[in-house]
Amino acid sequence: MSSLFPKYDVIVVGAGHAGSEAAGAAAEMGAKTLLITMNLDAIAKMSCNPAIGGVAKGQLVREIDALGGLTGVVADKSAVQFRMLNTSKGPAMWSPRCQSDRALYSNMMREELEKKENLHFRQDNVVDVLTTNDGKKATGVKTSTGQTFEAQSIILTTGTFGNGLMHIGETNFGGGRSGERASIGISAALEKLGFEVGRLKTGTPPRLDGRSIDYSKLEIQYGDSDPSPFSFMTEELPSKEEQLTCWIGFTNEEVHETLKTGFSRSPMFNGTIESTGPRYCPSIEDKINRFSDKNSHQLFLEPEGWDTYEMYLNGFSTSLPEDVQYNALRTIPGFEDAVMLRPGYAIEYDYFPPYQIRRSMETKITEGLFFAGQINGTTGYEEAACQGLMAGINAARKVKGEEEFILKRSEAYIGVLIDDLITKGTEEPYRMFTSRAEHRILLRQDNADLRLTELGHNIGLASTERFERYKTKKAAIDKLHDLIADYTVYPQKMDPMLEEQGTSKLSQPVKAKTLIPRPQLSIYNLLNADEELSAKTSAITDDKDVLDQVEIQIKYAGYIEKEFEMVEEMKKQEDTLIPDTLNYDQINSLSAEGKQKMDRIRPETLGQASRISGVSPSDISVLMVYLKN
């Protein structure tokens, strides 16, 4: 069937957080790109909480930004509050987070996308994926209006819209999120091509009228006085006084008893919902059921934006009947007169178990077809956005005939996430945590640009301006590191400061570098104590990020060196490729489970094979010998 429309290089289906990054990346890299979405007014809409980042999620956003993606830039421009989480722990655990203006975030993402010369938009509903007769290569898409669009690469980012079914108590209806219809047709089309499909669930809490809350009964939560941006290009952020505040409340036994009155009508407990929800972000009814020994749960009241009184009650996600939601809300201290603007709901949707994709995000069954976001079983804007970025990069590179762009587990949290999905799969919505990254001391949020910006520039995504800024910063870091390593400090200048900081004095002159690893000290203590060192440092840089980076590199040098040694030890396995056509049944010494698991997942490298559940170390040894021969 011929199309009325010109042929594109890349078509992106869905304009959520995955779709926005995919379309932006593909277009920036020179691919003629079409972004098709059911609602052009809902690009990158925040379906759940109005926030970006958080534990490990903040690291993902900084990596997206370092590569040249959009999420960090838009988050900084639309934020109402900034907080760095886990600062009481080591820098590997620090995670940036911001509260966002929901409407502003969506509008600004659209503005950023509209700046891309190669990007075109279409409001329509895709119902079918077009392929060659054998189904082995994607050629385009068909929409509900009967139109066809052709392209060499297709990226599906359907989010929660694929056969989406929403639940509020005993009421259920089709939809992708509140007020928007579900997408019907794609799942059936993919099943015909041979893809396995499953169902997952997520949920959201009620939205409240902020004017109806008694804030005197809640704890106030301010933003950081010296906020850190997501984007390495952002130069200015609002001060603490200019940021909006959040609030903390608590449930109690009365709240729990009120919620329990609706359990018999809850789709979670009466069998209506059979799919699995996110373990680490359970509904309030699930929390009081699973943790019955706890008589209180923390809640966060978060503003939806600068110019609205609508508030989001984080921690109170629910699909209970609306009357139960309302009555339970009004038993929470501070919420006695709460007005509910929108009830909470649960949503079930289709996903495709991610063993069916490669590290490039291209599917194994159909060439030129890529999956990104919740379609792969993840949860969260950040997890979706980084997959979209990688799919957009690789879809554009495929069109140009270039090799796949892959990030390893030792290079980025993005690499950890994709590897986890492919090798371990997921039967519940996957959420990123710092504990999932074995090399997290190397994959800190503060050094994402040092790890990834040159890579992003080399593939044509990170701008020349961004690359030049990275080079300037890296040169300053190297120069300051050398200064601190070579500079000698003396007892007469250091001892008063050392005594004040509660650490031992010097018995002789030492290199400045030897003092920084002391837990009581920072680089700023040394600069304040030694005017000459301070002057030499100022001649190099006054950039706080540079100073902090040098301090981290020196203070944690031993740990960092050990991590690099571990990466080198594993490098051989990570670089050993496994042919796509390998017949595992022919390798007699492999265990039966090893054969079955590897044949299903089709790992791309020996390292990836070693992380598959059920594949033993002896299986890897056998496979290694087989590949050598």
Side-chain angles (χ1 to χ4, degrees):
M1 181 185 293
S2 61
S3 173
L4 294 172
F5 305 96
K7 188 171 183 177
Y8 291 89
D9 295 321
V10 177
I11 291 175
V12 180
V13 179
H17 301 271
S20 296
E21 286 290 359
E28 183 66 28
M29 292 172 66
K32 185 179 179 182
T33 305
L34 176 65
L35 177 59
I36 305 178
T37 176
M38 292 194 293
N39 185 357
L40 280 170
D41 296 323
I43 289 175
K45 187 173 181 179
M46 293 178 155
S47 305
C48 201
N49 61 318
I52 291 291
V55 176
K57 293 169 176 279
Q59 280 86 331
L60 288 173
V61 177
R62 295 217 97 193
E63 290 178 353
I64 291 167
D65 182 74
L67 286 166
L70 299 172
T71 301
V73 173
V74 175
D76 287 344
K77 289 180 177 181
S78 59
V80 300
Q81 188 196 80
F82 291 87
R83 293 184 68 231
M84 184 67 75
L85 307 182
N86 285 340
T87 52
S88 62
K89 301 177 181 178
M93 306 295 285
W94 299 351
S95 302
R97 184 182 191 271
C98 75
Q99 289 298 134
S100 301
D101 184 308
R102 186 187 299 275
L104 190 58
Y105 186 94
S106 178
N107 291 338
M108 287 197 157
M109 182 61 82
R110 178 167 177 170
E111 284 182 19
E112 291 295 325
L113 291 174
E114 288 183 342
K115 293 176 186 176
K116 308 290 183 185
E117 288 185 13
N118 294 311
L119 182 57
H120 305 260
F121 298 84
R122 167 84 179 193
Q123 181 166 295
D124 212 333
N125 178 29
V126 171
V127 295
D128 198 2
V129 175
L130 305 179
T131 67
T132 52
N133 290 336
D134 58 7
K136 291 184 177 179
K137 190 173 192 321
T139 59
V141 297
K142 183 178 180 180
T143 71
S144 58
T145 59
Q147 301 303 322
T148 60
F149 297 86
E150 296 177 76
Q152 297 179 62
S153 293
I154 311 295
I155 306 174
L156 298 185
T157 69
T158 50
T160 59
F161 283 76
N163 287 333
L165 182 65
M166 298 170 62
H167 300 268
I168 304 175
E170 296 168 299
T171 302
N172 59 69
F173 47 92
R177 61 178 160 231
S178 181
E180 297 182 57
R181 72 184 190 277
S183 175
I184 308 297
I186 289 183
S187 292
L190 293 175
E191 282 192 275
K192 284 182 182 177
L193 291 173
F195 287 93
E196 178 190 344
V197 64
R199 296 283 277 177
L200 290 176
K201 163 203 163 287
T202 190
T204 192
R207 271 62 159 186
L208 309 176
D209 186 329
R211 299 170 300 180
S212 65
I213 308 301
D214 182 355
Y215 295 97
S216 67
K217 296 181 181 179
L218 306 178
E219 297 177 16
I220 194 167
Q221 186 180 59
Y222 294 106
D224 289 344
S225 56
D226 184 19
S228 298
F230 281 105
S231 177
F232 292 95
M233 301 297 285
T234 299
E235 296 182 345
E236 189 174 348
L237 293 175
S239 66
K240 176 181 176 181
E241 291 72 28
E242 294 172 314
Q243 299 175 48
L244 296 181
T245 56
C246 296
W247 307 84
I248 299 174
F250 297 89
T251 65
N252 53 38
E253 290 184 355
E254 185 182 1
V255 178
H256 298 179
E257 290 304 314
T258 306
L259 289 167
K260 288 176 183 177
T261 64
F263 278 14
S264 62
R265 295 188 287 152
S266 166
M268 288 214 25
F269 298 131
N270 65 16
T272 305
I273 293 178
E274 297 181 352
S275 49
T276 308
R279 179 188 309 187
Y280 303 104
C281 189
S283 65
I284 187 65
E285 58 264 40
D286 196 22
K287 278 192 276 192
I288 64 174
N289 185 54
R290 283 165 50 189
F291 308 109
S292 55
D293 56 318
K294 292 192 174 184
N295 55 20
S296 179
H297 293 283
Q298 195 173 51
L299 304 171
F300 295 90
L301 188 64
E302 302 170 343
E304 295 266 352
W306 294 107
D307 303 316
T308 179
Y309 52 73
E310 189 168 351
M311 306 289 280
Y312 179 94
L313 190 57
N314 200 340
F316 204 82
S317 175
T318 182
S319 58
L320 286 166
E322 188 169 349
D323 61 305
V324 178
Q325 294 185 35
Y326 182 73
N327 291 331
L329 271 173
R330 289 193 151 215
T331 57
I332 302 170
F335 294 79
E336 292 86 354
D337 298 316
V339 173
M340 190 161 65
L341 303 179
R342 317 180 199 207
Y345 61 87
I347 180 167
E348 291 184 284
Y349 56 93
D350 287 348
Y351 87 108
F352 292 81
Y355 73 86
Q356 300 171 106
I357 59 170
R358 305 181 189 279
R359 294 179 296 168
S360 64
M361 313 306 293
E362 186 177 20
T363 64
K364 295 174 180 176
I365 292 176
T366 302
E367 183 186 351
L369 179 62
F370 296 75
F371 290 170
Q374 285 174 288
I375 193 173
N376 288 328
T378 59
T379 183
Y381 311 140
E382 304 81 4
E383 288 88 346
C386 73
Q387 292 175 71
L389 184 77
M390 295 300 288
I393 290 170
N394 283 307
R397 289 177 70 82
K398 187 173 186 67
V399 169
K400 297 176 185 178
E402 297 172 346
E403 65 179 20
E404 298 171 336
F405 177 72
I406 305 297
L407 291 174
K408 298 175 183 174
R409 295 182 72 91
S410 57
E411 292 178 312
Y413 271 87
I414 296 173
V416 174
L417 181 146
I418 294 171
D419 186 73
D420 275 357
L421 289 176
I422 296 169
T423 59
K424 299 175 183 177
T426 185
E427 295 179 355
E428 61 186 40
Y430 176 101
R431 177 180 175 178
M432 178 52 73
F433 288 102
T434 51
S435 59
R436 296 191 190 273
E438 61 270 38
H439 303 298
R440 57 185 173 273
I441 190 68
L442 302 180
L443 308 182
R444 307 182 308 276
Q445 58 83 30
D446 59 84
N447 71 353
D449 57 339
L450 302 178
R451 291 184 278 118
L452 301 174
T453 294
E454 187 169 2
L455 293 176
H457 182 67
N458 290 345
I459 62 173
L461 183 56
S463 67
T464 300
E465 179 188 1
R466 180 184 288 275
F467 185 55
E468 291 300 321
R469 184 174 293 195
Y470 148 77
K471 288 198 297 184
T472 300
K473 178 180 175 180
K474 187 175 185 302
I477 289 170
D478 293 341
K479 196 170 182 180
L480 181 57
H481 193 286
D482 290 343
L483 170 65
I484 300 296
D486 294 337
Y487 187 85
T488 301
V489 294
Y490 295 88
Q492 57 265 38
K493 286 187 177 180
M494 291 291 127
D495 282 353
M497 178 272 293
L498 295 174
E499 185 175 19
E500 183 180 341
Q501 296 301 317
T503 185
S504 58
K505 297 180 182 180
L506 298 179
S507 58
Q508 61 185 18
V510 297
K511 297 299 183 183
K513 183 179 179 179
T514 64
L515 289 180
I516 291 178
R518 295 190 186 187
Q520 303 91 339
L521 301 182
S522 72
I523 193 171
Y524 301 100
N525 295 132
L526 273 65
L527 298 180
N528 291 334
D530 191 318
E531 292 180 4
E532 183 182 353
L533 178 60
S534 180
K536 287 178 179 289
T537 296
S538 296
I540 296 172
T541 184
D542 59 358
D543 187 340
K544 184 177 181 298
D545 287 345
V546 172
L547 293 169
D548 291 345
Q549 189 61 225
V550 171
E551 178 179 331
I552 290 170
Q553 289 182 6
I554 294 173
K555 191 177 282 288
Y556 298 94
Y559 297 101
I560 292 171
E561 187 176 344
K562 286 180 183 177
E563 285 293 332
F564 276 124
E565 289 173 359
M566 286 176 60
V567 170
E568 283 302 311
E569 285 179 18
M570 297 173 64
K571 192 173 188 297
K572 193 170 183 180
Q573 283 194 359
E574 297 300 332
D575 290 345
T576 302
L577 297 177
I578 300 175
D580 281 346
T581 56
L582 184 63
N583 185 344
Y584 292 98
D585 284 333
Q586 290 182 347
I587 309 175
N588 296 326
S589 299
L590 285 178
S591 69
E593 185 177 9
K595 288 179 182 179
Q596 180 187 20
K597 293 289 182 65
M598 286 192 279
D599 187 57
R600 182 172 187 257
I601 293 172
R602 310 298 301 178
E604 297 171 64
T605 69
L606 196 61
Q608 200 176 56
S610 71
R611 291 184 289 274
I612 298 173
S613 175
V615 174
S616 67
S618 62
D619 286 332
I620 297 303
S621 297
V622 169
L623 185 57
M624 189 185 301
V625 172
Y626 184 86
L627 292 172
K628 277 184 181 179
N629 295 333

